[in-house]
Amino acid sequence: MSVWRVLLSIIFPPLAVYDRGCGSLLIVFLLTCCGWVPGVIAALVILNKK
């Protein structure tokens, strides 16, 4: 996980996981719409997986 991805996931979480697949992007987008913090947490968890 690069520093660029971490910063991007804090600023705009869906953009950080765009290459992880449509499902991940949709989940992070919906969680970001519900609240910024759940979206950031989900993006960091998805980015932390190999």
Side-chain angles (χ1 to χ4, degrees):
M1 193 165 41
S2 68
V3 175
W4 169 250
R5 290 284 179 131
V6 172
L7 290 175
L8 194 58
S9 68
I10 292 171
I11 295 169
F12 190 65
L15 193 58
V17 296
Y18 73 93
D19 64 342
R20 300 292 176 145
C22 185
S24 297
L25 182 69
L26 184 62
I27 289 171
V28 172
F29 180 75
L30 290 174
L31 285 171
T32 303
C33 288
C34 292
W36 178 72
V37 173
V40 170
I41 292 171
L44 289 174
V45 166
I46 290 171
L47 288 175
N48 199 23
K49 290 185 178 181
K50 292 184 179 180

